[in-house]
Amino acid sequence: MPVPIILDCDPGHDDALAIMLAAGDPAVDLLAITTVAGNQTLEKTTLNARRVCTVAGITGVPVAAGCDRPLVQPLSVADDVHGVSGLDGPSFPEPTVGVVREHAVDLIHRLLAEHPEPVTLVPTAPLTNIALLLTRYPQDADRIREIVLMGGSTERGNRTPAAEFNIRTDPEAADIVFRSGVPVTMCGLNVTHQALATPEVVARFEGLGTSLGRTCAELLTFFASTYRTLWGFPSPPLHDPVAVARVIDPGLVRCVDANVVVELNGRYTRGATVVDLHGSTGRPVNARAAMSLDADPFWDRMVAAVRVLGARTHPADRQPPPS
Ligand code: BDR
Ligand code: CA
């Protein structure tokens, strides 16, 4: 049975591919896509989610907009990484996929109540929506099977030397999530930097011969240019789909148990995830920290999902009807 998930995201180039993986892989059942301010303003991340759903032919999955700013601090977007639109690179048609009226937090609350089994939340963005859900509806914790998030790091950061973007953008929200008691798996930079979109990977998307495959190649090409300029990466790391992949096949992403706390006060380290890998603090385990990715099968799943979605939307790939 596919695992029911809700993807909470801020598209974002890597979020865009996380949406496609979640919608195109048969091991998960994507119940909803919710958006939050992060890589860009809420207005832009929501528009981008609708754009991705439109070009990928993802219909019947509700898209809901959530929080437009972090819980405490002002929003600081990542236009240096994702461009002014949040999804620079390809040109997108006017989206035909709409947005539901319900606030993202209320939609998640309703879906958790309605679904016959506990649901996995996959946040690939600042944790504002998830923290608000757990604060407003504490009883929902029992309806969440686990939270598998992209954020943090067992090592260094990217937004600051110490802090990763999703956690640094809303540290108070991340603190609420890690202290919630809900099982949390943290897919941090230390593992997502193993998902490098090399030229060979980009060529695989192009080689699908569909417009969706080309869109993915264009997204990755833009993402590569900012990662090269900002950090000198030869190929960009595709962070967010790693969290989806962990749900699809836990064997793809090896994890260890650890205590994780979020630094809220550090003069230079606010938003850092302090991951106790060796039990040296004596603090109890409250998370699984992802440590290594099986990269080749990860890319196989990612490309397969785009192939499935692309075949649905690209007329040349449609099989002729049986005669
Ligand atoms: C995270 O920050 C965002 O820019 C990406 O979408 C990803 O979720 C990586 O630090
Ligand atoms: Ca993201």
Side-chain angles (χ1 to χ4, degrees), residues 223-250:
F223 207 38
S225 71
T226 59
Y227 259 83
R228 199 178 306 118
T229 307
L230 292 171
W231 292 292
F233 273 61
S235 303
L238 198 68
H239 309 281
D240 294 339
V242 172
V244 180
R246 166 71 190 180
V247 183
I248 286 172
D249 178 358

Side-chain angles (χ1 to χ4, degrees), residues 10 12 14-15 39 78 81-82 124-125 150 158 164-166 189 227 239-240:
D10 61 341
D14 49 337
D15 301 85
N39 283 326
V81 183
H82 298 276
T124 61
M150 191 282 133
N158 57 1
E164 182 277 332
F165 176 81
N166 288 341
L189 298 176
Y227 259 83
H239 309 281
D240 294 339

Side-chain angles (χ1 to χ4, degrees), residues 57 86 111 114 121 138 196 202 225 254 267 301:
L111 290 174
E114 286 175 3
L121 304 186
L196 296 174
V202 177
S225 71
R254 190 182 66 81
R267 183 171 171 194
R301 296 296 284 240

Side-chain angles (χ1 to χ4, degrees), residues 73 77 92 101 221 224 289 292 294 309:
Q73 68 192 24
V77 300
F92 289 96
R101 280 167 189 265
T221 301
S292 62
D294 207 348
L309 295 171

Side-chain angles (χ1 to χ4, degrees), residues 108-314:
I108 299 172
H109 171 64
R110 185 169 60 75
L111 290 174
L112 290 175
E114 286 175 3
H115 207 76
E117 55 183 297
V119 171
T120 296
L121 304 186
V122 186
T124 61
L127 290 159
T128 322
N129 286 344
I130 310 303
L132 191 60
L133 174 86
L134 292 168
T135 307
R136 190 178 285 171
Y137 306 111
Q139 71 278 16
D140 281 4
D142 290 340
R143 303 291 310 149
I144 302 170
R145 179 165 143 176
E146 57 175 332
I147 296 172
V148 182
L149 64 90
M150 191 282 133
S153 179
T154 62
E155 299 165 0
R156 291 168 64 81
N158 57 1
R159 192 57 162 174
T160 72
E164 182 277 332
F165 176 81
N166 288 341
I167 308 298
R168 181 64 186 83
T169 300
D170 196 342
E172 281 73 19
D175 178 54
I176 289 170
V177 169
F178 278 102
R179 289 193 297 102
S180 67
V182 176
V184 173
T185 297
M186 181 189 104
C187 300
L189 298 176
N190 56 295
V191 72
T192 64
H193 283 187
Q194 298 167 38
L196 296 174
T198 60
E200 293 73 32
V201 165
V202 177
R204 288 182 72 181
F205 288 108
E206 259 164 6
L208 293 174
T210 61
S211 51
L212 187 62
R214 273 191 297 281
T215 299
C216 290
E218 286 166 9
L219 285 168
L220 293 173
T221 301
F222 179 88
F223 207 38
S225 71
T226 59
Y227 259 83
R228 199 178 306 118
T229 307
L230 292 171
W231 292 292
F233 273 61
S235 303
L238 198 68
H239 309 281
D240 294 339
V242 172
V244 180
R246 166 71 190 180
V247 183
I248 286 172
D249 178 358
L252 291 176
V253 184
R254 190 182 66 81
C255 296
V256 298
D257 288 347
N259 176 272
V260 179
V261 293
V262 178
E263 175 58 63
L264 297 179
N265 300 308
R267 183 171 171 194
Y268 301 112
T269 55
R270 179 167 154 79
T273 44
V274 180
V275 185
D276 183 1
L277 291 175
H278 304 291
S280 55
T281 64
R283 291 193 287 256
V285 167
N286 65 338
R288 291 190 191 112
M291 299 303 289
S292 62
L293 173 73
D294 207 348
D296 288 343
F298 163 78
W299 285 114
D300 290 345
R301 296 296 284 240
M302 187 66 249
V303 172
V306 174
R307 181 186 294 115
V308 166
L309 295 171
R312 280 191 217 146
T313 52
H314 192 81

